[in-house]
Amino acid sequence: RCPRPALPVLRWLPRYSRAWLPLDLLAGLAVGLTTVPQALAYAELAGLPLQYGLYSSFMGCFVYCFLGTAKDVTLGPTAIMSLLVSSYTFHEPVYAVLLAFLSGCIQLAMGLLHLGFLLDFISCPVIKGFTSAASITISFNQIKNILGLQGIPRQFFPQVYETLRRIGETRAGDAVLGLTCLAALTGLRAMKSHLPRAAPAEPLAVRISYLIVWISATARNALVVLFAGLVAYSFQVMGSQPFRLTGSIPQGLPGFQPPRFSLAVPNGTVPFQSMVQDMGVGLAVVPLMGLLETIAIAKAFASENGYRIDPNQELLALGVANVLGSFVSAYPITGSFGRTAVNAQSGVCTPAGGLVTGALVLLSLAYLTSLFYYIPKAALAAVIISAVVPMFDAGIFGTLWRVKRLDLVPLCVTFLLCFWEVQYGIVAGVLVSGILLLYSVARPPIKVSEGAVLLVQPGSSLHFPAVEHLQDSVCSRALAASPPRSVILDCCHISSIDYTVVVGLAELLQELRRHGLSLAFCGLKDPVLQVLLSADLEGFRHFPSWEEAERCGGAELGASRAEPFTSTTEST
């Protein structure tokens, strides 16, 4: 068998089929028509000049084509990443570009060291709580643009207060246009989800009609923004302008240069160390959330389409994309669920579709930025709201109530604190999830069956936090029985132990021996048995099963005759 190529592009490029080319071209164009208006909208959300959204939208497409392992995934700016960038970069492009560089370095290091497993400690309730809160926060953040209000604070609670207080200052033109765009986007999304697929046997006119409707629904962001721009331009020609416009965007491609590691300010220079301190916990939250989004999206679409991905290779691809992106003035990027869905639904066959998307963004930067002047901010706000509303998962609360109510705790903690500060919500949710996880490790279920001897069966592996719990459970039951009974410890569910557990078991043997009782082990797995034999515990005895332990131990364990185990209790 030939070794698997280390570079992912070499796994599909040598067998590239001519039949794949039109599908990749169509998918790349469809994603590109979605990417350009979203890039402008997400830059607005990040608090950066709009051209930075476009600067952030092409490098990930090119890098992922060569280093990505999922054919459907597209990298670029997203609503959640833009929200995080807004929180940690103070609306300053130099900070945003440096954050992309440092995040990429962290992601590269994690990929090279195979540390992707750390993401497994961010539980699903934490993710759902964060994305649902982000959906509400981002949507409300755009209400000011829908209503044409200015000078609204960016913090959520002051933002809600100021928006409601100043709702009387709403600009009628922006409100009508914004709501119209939002209704059009919602209708086109619903049309696409209910569009029946045209069979090859259908008449040509039917298939052409299907294609027109499908393209219109898929490129709905571009169509709505184009319509809004034409309306605004028409008013401009007539000498009036009822909308707040995007304004001038610098034309041309960004220069290829390293990110700046200091920032000139009127009264001096902010050095690199101070910039890192200013970004603070963002240097952990941004790269981790970027990895989490990318790998979750890649796994979801790979599972749906029947192929596998390499998580560590995905980390490397994202890290390289962010590092190289910082050289073209990009802010941090990650996998986009919406654009990945468009890519998959367009029938993309390989990651080569990203080359078409990246090229379309570059063409927009080179030739079309002068046309973006007339795009109303209300239309971009409608694009953002339409993209993030589906992220709110109201059903997760009811699902967790039915499945496991304890998981509602990290969900609600994350959800509520994210309205205060995003980083506090994520960190608090992870900590609460960790505490619940550690509690289950420290208090494993212990099944106790009573008979001639006590049969004690821990329900999971034993680690040092659980030793005292095991000692208390065994001693309290063995010594409280009348008469006191010896113990068989059934270790069939224990796959590993540590040194503290060995010390605790030695103390348990001594404690029972002081009361004239015995402790025998059964069902030991080889790794556990080797550890206990190496420890040379005094009085250590083990049997293949509890039946043999009871039969062979007999009187030594304090049983004058064999009795069935009559009652069972569970200790947690």
Side-chain angles (χ1 to χ4, degrees), residues 349-477:
C349 297
T350 68
L355 298 177
V356 181
T357 302
L360 194 60
V361 174
L362 290 177
L363 287 173
S364 300
L365 274 168
Y367 302 110
L368 301 180
T369 51
S370 60
L371 302 179
F372 297 156
Y373 176 92
Y374 296 101
I375 298 176
K377 289 191 173 184
L380 295 181
V383 169
I384 293 177
I385 293 173
S386 174
V388 301
V389 164
M391 295 190 324
F392 182 78
D393 187 0
I396 188 64
F397 295 90
T399 300
L400 291 183
W401 180 264
R402 293 191 307 271
V403 175
K404 189 174 183 182
R405 295 177 184 178
L406 196 60
D407 282 340
L408 283 169
V409 178
L411 173 73
C412 293
V413 167
T414 306
F415 179 75
L416 295 174
L417 288 183
C418 277
F419 290 114
W420 178 25
E421 287 287 350
V422 171
Q423 65 269 27
Y424 297 154
I426 295 173
V427 171
V430 171
L431 287 176
V432 171
S433 293
I435 291 171
L436 295 178
L437 175 65
L438 290 176
Y439 182 82
S440 66
V441 172
R443 295 293 182 268
I446 297 177
K447 182 180 179 181
V448 180
S449 302
E450 296 183 4
V453 294
L454 287 182
L455 177 65
V456 178
Q457 187 182 75
S460 62
S461 289
L462 286 178
H463 301 285
F464 63 91
V467 173
E468 188 171 346
H469 176 57
L470 176 66
Q471 290 175 329
D472 292 343
S473 297
V474 171
C475 289
S476 62
R477 298 298 298 274

Side-chain angles (χ1 to χ4, degrees), residues 451-453 483-486 550-551 553-563:
V453 294
R485 300 177 187 181
S486 294
E550 188 182 26
R551 184 173 60 254
E556 295 181 29
L557 290 174
S560 57
R561 57 185 179 85
E563 298 178 10

Side-chain angles (χ1 to χ4, degrees), residues 68-245:
T69 59
K71 68 180 180 66
D72 303 296
V73 170
T74 61
L75 300 183
T78 65
I80 287 179
M81 192 55 64
S82 299
L83 176 66
L84 295 175
V85 169
S86 172
S87 301
Y88 298 116
T89 60
F90 320 107
H91 309 164
E92 175 54 59
V94 175
Y95 273 90
V97 174
L98 181 60
L99 181 58
F101 176 78
L102 296 177
S103 296
C105 291
I106 293 171
Q107 290 160 346
L108 267 176
M110 291 182 68
L112 292 172
L113 297 175
H114 292 248
L115 297 179
F117 72 92
L118 293 176
L119 299 177
D120 296 336
F121 288 94
I122 304 178
S123 66
C124 183
V126 173
I127 298 169
K128 288 291 187 181
F130 165 66
T131 54
S132 295
S135 173
I136 296 174
T137 303
I138 294 169
S139 297
F140 206 90
N141 181 267
Q142 296 305 308
I143 295 296
K144 65 179 186 292
N145 290 327
I146 293 283
L147 301 180
L149 301 177
Q150 292 180 287
I152 301 294
R154 297 188 73 89
Q155 292 80 13
F156 180 73
F157 294 110
Q159 187 180 89
V160 173
Y161 172 76
E162 279 296 311
T163 301
L164 295 177
R165 188 179 70 84
R166 295 175 51 191
I167 200 167
E169 302 174 20
T170 298
R171 292 167 56 104
D174 284 312
V176 171
L177 181 66
L179 294 174
T180 301
C181 291
L182 198 55
L185 289 168
T186 304
L188 288 170
R189 178 192 293 274
M191 182 188 300
K192 184 177 181 181
S193 62
H194 294 90
L195 184 65
R197 182 171 294 275
E202 296 281 357
L204 180 61
V206 173
R207 283 181 285 153
I208 292 176
S209 301
Y210 167 83
L211 184 61
I212 292 173
V213 173
W214 181 86
I215 291 175
S216 300
T218 300
R220 58 185 177 273
N221 291 328
L223 288 178
V224 166
V225 168
L226 177 62
F227 164 77
L230 289 174
V231 172
Y233 179 74
S234 300
F235 276 102
Q236 187 82 7
V237 170
M238 291 187 295
S240 64
Q241 189 53 264
F243 312 122
R244 290 178 57 226
L245 302 181

Side-chain angles (χ1 to χ4, degrees), residues 230-297:
L230 289 174
V231 172
Y233 179 74
S234 300
F235 276 102
Q236 187 82 7
V237 170
M238 291 187 295
S240 64
Q241 189 53 264
F243 312 122
R244 290 178 57 226
L245 302 181
T246 295
S248 299
I249 297 177
Q251 187 166 344
L253 304 180
F256 191 83
Q257 57 188 5
R260 290 162 55 187
F261 293 92
S262 62
L263 175 64
V265 292
N267 57 349
T269 301
V270 180
F272 173 71
Q273 183 179 0
S274 297
M275 294 178 73
V276 170
Q277 291 174 348
D278 290 341
M279 288 185 281
V281 72
L283 290 172
V285 172
V286 170
L288 284 178
M289 290 309 299
L291 292 175
L292 189 64
E293 273 197 277
T294 301
I295 292 180
I297 291 169

